[in-house]
Amino acid sequence: QVQLVESGGGLVQAGGSLRLSCAASGSIFSINSMTWYRQAPGKQRELVAVITSGGSTNTVASVKGRFTISRDNAKNTVYLQMNSLRPDDTAVYYCYCVVRSSARGSYTAYWGQGTQVTVSS
């Protein structure tokens, strides 16, 4: 089994910054893609940023130039650096990782519990 624990959320004023972390632990052989999603009240969950095992990244248009995703493979951790935050970035942020637990095992996807980000105007 694999656990994902997010941290770094909180309350920040518009224009401020936060750095989210998501650490994976448990039975891990390798991690394929690592992704950040968010869900605002009354809205569907949306993909924010993704990073592959090779380090390629992609971000949704609404956060391009403001958010940066990165990963530390030695720590099985993915980060989301969020700058120039806006009130419409307010949401619960979730990490989603695709993990292989053994050399011959298949990949399984896991979700974190979410961390609240609130941006005040």
Side-chain angles (χ1 to χ4, degrees):
Q1 188 69 319
V2 173
Q3 296 79 39
L4 303 180
V5 178
E6 297 123 332
S7 60
L11 173 64
V12 65
Q13 288 189 332
S17 298
L18 284 174
R19 188 192 194 208
L20 305 183
S21 300
C22 172
S25 63
S27 181
I28 299 172
F29 176 77
S30 65
I31 302 178
N32 193 353
S33 60
M34 306 180 86
T35 308
W36 286 99
Y37 285 81
R38 68 184 179 185
Q39 188 165 20
K43 295 188 177 181
Q44 288 189 334
R45 192 170 297 190
E46 66 167 348
L47 187 149
V48 177
V50 58
I51 184 166
T52 68
S53 57
S56 297
T57 64
N58 202 3
T59 53
V60 68
S62 60
V63 308
K64 272 194 193 302
R66 300 188 298 122
F67 291 11
T68 302
I69 189 171
S70 61
R71 64 190 284 171
D72 184 333
N73 291 326
K75 295 181 179 180
N76 291 328
T77 299
V78 60
Y79 304 97
L80 186 67
Q81 178 67 45
M82 305 186 295
N83 299 328
S84 302
L85 282 160
R86 309 186 306 217
D88 60 358
D89 294 318
T90 295
V92 178
Y93 285 71
Y94 299 89
C95 69
Y96 174 87
C97 296
V98 180
V99 179
R100 190 161 63 172
S101 294
S102 66
R104 296 185 176 185
S106 59
Y107 283 99
T108 303
Y110 296 91
W111 287 96
Q113 82 285 357
T115 185
Q116 176 70 47
V117 171
T118 303
V119 185
S120 63
S121 57

